[in-house]
Every structure is written in C-alpha cells, then in structure tokens.
C-alpha cells in the first residue's frame, strides 16, 4: 500500500487565544547562539508572553503542561526543570557590533511552582532586543505555532532568519559564513565544511519542514567563487498551503490590518506593502516604522 503523503500542519483557531506571536529585534535574530531544541522552544514560549507595549520586563509564566509538552514529558519534576533552566541561563548570545562581539545571557532567574509552572525573569541586558521594538521598526514578528512545530534547533533558527528577510526584494543574497555564524556552526566543524553536507543535513531538511509546518517556503541557489560556495541566493515566499490561524489574525491586528499588496501613500508617492515593509528609492521602511508613520499622519493606506 502506498504511503499517504504528509499534509501541512493545520492548527484550528481557538477563541480568545492571545500572545501567540514572537517578536524579536533583527539584531537578536542575526546574532549567534545555539540552544538545543528544548531550550529554543522554552525561549520562544517566554518571548511570546511579552506584550507589544511593555517598557520593562516583568515575570513571564509558562505552564507545567507547556513545559512537559515541549520536552515530551521529560520536564516532570522541579529538579529537572531547575537543571534545564540552569543550562538555559548559562547559554550566551553573541551580537556583532562592528569588529567586536557583545555577549548576553537570556535568563536572569526563575521561580518554580510545583504542578503549576515556572515564572521566568529575562536578563535586563536583553531589553534592546525584545522591548519597545515598534519605535525603530527593526524587528520580525512570526507565528509561535510555526516555530514550535519544527523538529530541529537549526530549522527554528533558519525560520527566524529567513522570516526577517521575507519582506525584502527577492532574491536575498546571504553569505554562507554568516548563516553558519548565526547557527553557531564553527568554521572548523568538519561535519559542515563540505557544502554538500550542509545542504542535505540542514538546508534541505529545513526546506521540507517549512513546507509541511510553517507559513513560509524558501528556495536557494548556491553562489560560487571558483569551486567554493560562498553565499546563497534565497527566495522566501508565503506558503500557500498553510492554513492561517488565530496567530496570523493577531499579527494582522498588530500591523493595523495591513496586508501584502496594500497600497501606501508616502511623501506623495504610492508604494506597495510587501508584507513586512515597503521599499522606497531612499531605502526600506519596515512595518513597525510604517505603522508609526501612519499614526503620525505621514503615511496612509489607500
């Protein structure tokens, strides 16, 4: 009997469901860090609790049921949760600033309530990467459900990275070294020195997972210098097979109803909203900044 083809994940919308989106500054997304799959998903759950209007971090609660679901029932005791949180707390996020690297920790602490869940405290050093992002517009908003449905840490990082470039004019050229740096794959890692291995083990697997489980798909063309692959031309598009859920509606609400293809009047000229911003002759205007312009009367939807 022939195998039934796996269908894209379709999550039914639930009434009154909120905070199902993740908001990260692009500086954060472009940074270098490696959390394992369980740690990545805990981090995403915490970030999804942050409200758009927050000016300072508070305590963010993740239920025991969510933690057990993330860990496939491994995190079923205070001891195991403490051990997992300790590992998460000790992970470093590297951000490039010119020729130097800034280093950050994500967690500052946590409080476990047995049988109920965990209140997480985010390190104050992360404020610039997670709070008050609407002002400068340099952030990416994506569906929590999509990221959580991916089954590898590398796939989650690529999902964030490619989502942050989706609104730009396609294709987008990304340095292979930069992609590996963001995935925390060292140049000396013999497993991925050969592009063929990187392609089959990371890119092609992510490509398949995106198509099955997320709201975007991507294609790529390797760019060579001599015989060496040095960069990729990436094309990121909406996954037409993905059934939009309450998470997408939440994103629509935060973007004031703007949708890809909408016409925007700005400085007396008409532009097309690309889904995550508009492209003008003087540069790109991300969604957050565009919303600010609309509020200030400097731009309007037509």
């Amino acid at each position: 009997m022939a195998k039934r083809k796996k269908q894209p994940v379709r999550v039914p919308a639930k009434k009154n469901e909120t905070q199902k989106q993740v908001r990260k500054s692009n500086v954060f997304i472009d940074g270098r860090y490696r959390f394992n799959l369980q740690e990545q998903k805990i981090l995403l759950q915490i970030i999804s609790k942050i409200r758009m209007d927050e000016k300072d971090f508070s305590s963010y609660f993740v239920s025991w049921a969510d933690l057990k679901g993330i860990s496939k029932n491994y995190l079923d005791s205070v001891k195991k949760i403490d051990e997992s949180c300790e590992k998460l707390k000790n992970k470093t996020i590297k951000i490039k600033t010119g020729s130097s690297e800034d280093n950050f920790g994500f967690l500052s602490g946590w409080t476990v309530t047995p049988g109920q869940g965990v209140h997480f405290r985010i390190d104050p050093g992360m404020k610039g990467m997670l709070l008050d992002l609407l002002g400068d517009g340099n952030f990416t908003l994506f569906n929590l459900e999509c990221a959580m449905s991916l089954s590898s840490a590398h796939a989650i990082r690529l999902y964030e990275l490619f989502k942050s470039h989706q609104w730009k004019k396609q294709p987008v050229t990304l340095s292979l070294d930069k992609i590996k740096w963001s995935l925390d794959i060292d140049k000396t890692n013999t497993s991925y020195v050969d592009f063929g291995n990187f392609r089959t083990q990371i890119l092609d697997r992510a490509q398949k997972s995106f198509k099955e489980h997320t709201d975007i798909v991507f294609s790529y063309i390797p760019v060579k210098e001599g015989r060496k692959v040095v960069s990729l031309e990436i094309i990121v598009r909406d996954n037409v097979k993905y059934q939009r859920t309450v998470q997408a509606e939440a994103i629509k609400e935060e973007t004031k109803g703007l949708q890809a293809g909408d016409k925007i009047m700005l400085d007396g000229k008409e532009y097309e909203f690309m889904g995550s911003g508009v492209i003008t002759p003087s540069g790109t205007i991300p969604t957050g900044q565009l919303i600010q312009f609309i509020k200030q009367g400097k731009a309007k939807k037509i």
Side-chain angles (χ1 to χ4, degrees):
M1 184 182 291
K3 276 190 174 181
R4 177 180 283 181
K5 189 175 180 181
K6 188 181 288 187
Q7 295 298 314
V9 169
R10 293 179 173 85
V11 183
K14 297 178 182 178
K15 290 183 180 180
N16 301 320
E17 189 170 338
T18 58
Q19 297 183 341
K20 286 294 184 179
Q21 59 273 357
V22 177
R23 212 176 289 102
K24 283 186 174 183
S25 74
N26 291 335
V27 172
F28 188 0
I29 289 175
D30 287 340
R32 179 175 190 167
Y33 51 92
R34 181 187 294 176
F35 300 98
N36 64 32
L37 182 62
Q38 179 176 291
E39 292 163 346
Q40 281 267 39
K41 291 188 175 184
I42 293 173
L43 180 145
L44 290 172
Q45 281 281 5
I46 297 169
I47 296 175
S48 74
K49 308 292 182 181
I50 300 174
R51 299 191 313 273
M52 192 71 163
D53 59 350
E54 285 189 70
K55 301 297 183 183
D56 207 347
F57 290 131
S58 57
S59 177
Y60 303 100
F61 180 76
V62 179
S63 73
W64 198 292
D66 281 340
L67 290 171
K68 288 176 72 174
I70 288 168
S71 65
K72 297 183 178 178
N73 291 318
Y74 173 76
L75 296 177
D76 60 358
S77 69
V78 174
K79 181 181 178 181
K80 289 179 180 178
I81 288 176
D82 278 339
E83 289 174 349
S84 182
C85 291
E86 187 68 35
K87 291 177 181 177
L88 182 58
K89 183 176 183 292
N90 291 333
K91 293 294 177 73
T92 300
I93 298 165
K94 295 181 180 292
I95 305 296
K96 276 192 175 179
T97 307
S99 59
S100 63
E101 287 184 0
D102 288 332
N103 294 274
F104 299 87
F106 179 71
L107 279 186
S108 64
W110 63 94
T111 302
V112 183
T113 304
Q116 295 183 34
V118 182
H119 286 88
F120 291 95
R121 298 184 295 279
I122 300 176
D123 191 281
M126 298 293 298
K127 284 184 179 180
M129 288 177 268
L130 295 170
L131 294 182
D132 199 23
L133 300 179
L134 192 59
D136 63 16
N138 187 27
F139 70 95
T140 296
L141 184 70
F142 57 87
N143 288 355
L144 174 65
E145 196 70 47
C146 290
M148 295 291 282
S149 70
L150 297 170
S151 58
S152 84
H154 285 327
I156 290 175
R157 287 292 287 124
L158 285 177
Y159 176 72
E160 297 176 345
L161 188 63
F162 291 171
K163 277 294 275 189
S164 73
H165 290 284
Q166 183 185 8
W167 62 279
K168 297 180 180 178
K169 185 177 180 181
Q170 306 291 319
V172 176
T173 301
L174 300 177
S175 159
L176 186 58
D177 283 345
K178 174 61 178 68
I179 295 174
K180 288 183 177 180
W181 187 86
S182 292
L183 297 180
D184 197 26
I185 297 175
D186 195 86
K187 290 182 179 180
T188 60
N189 187 325
T190 55
S191 298
Y192 301 116
V193 168
D194 178 64
F195 177 72
N197 287 342
F198 183 78
R199 177 204 290 265
T200 56
Q201 297 300 312
I202 295 181
L203 289 175
D204 291 351
R205 288 184 178 182
Q207 198 173 44
K208 181 180 179 181
S209 293
F210 285 17
K211 187 174 182 179
E212 292 177 353
H213 300 297
T214 79
D215 55 349
I216 61 171
V217 292
F218 74 94
S219 58
Y220 65 91
I221 299 173
V223 178
K224 293 184 177 182
E225 285 185 2
R227 300 179 63 182
K228 182 181 178 182
V229 175
V230 295
S231 60
L232 301 175
E233 286 188 356
I234 307 283
I235 297 177
V236 185
R237 302 199 184 282
D238 288 334
N239 185 357
V240 296
K241 293 184 179 180
Y242 179 78
Q243 177 176 309
R244 293 185 179 277
T245 64
V246 67
Q247 290 87 350
E249 291 303 312
I251 291 174
K252 184 178 177 181
E253 171 64 24
E254 289 201 1
T255 56
K256 303 303 177 187
L258 289 176
Q259 299 182 59
D262 284 347
K263 301 300 180 183
I264 304 296
M265 184 64 71
L266 179 66
D267 293 332
K269 296 180 180 179
E270 184 179 309
Y271 299 97
E272 181 178 349
F273 181 63
M274 306 300 291
S276 297
V278 296
I279 301 172
T280 73
S282 57
T284 54
I285 300 176
T287 300
Q289 188 176 355
L290 181 61
I291 292 172
Q292 289 291 87
F293 284 169
I294 292 173
K295 287 180 178 179
Q296 295 165 3
K298 297 179 181 178
K300 67 176 181 178
K301 179 180 170 182
I302 57 175

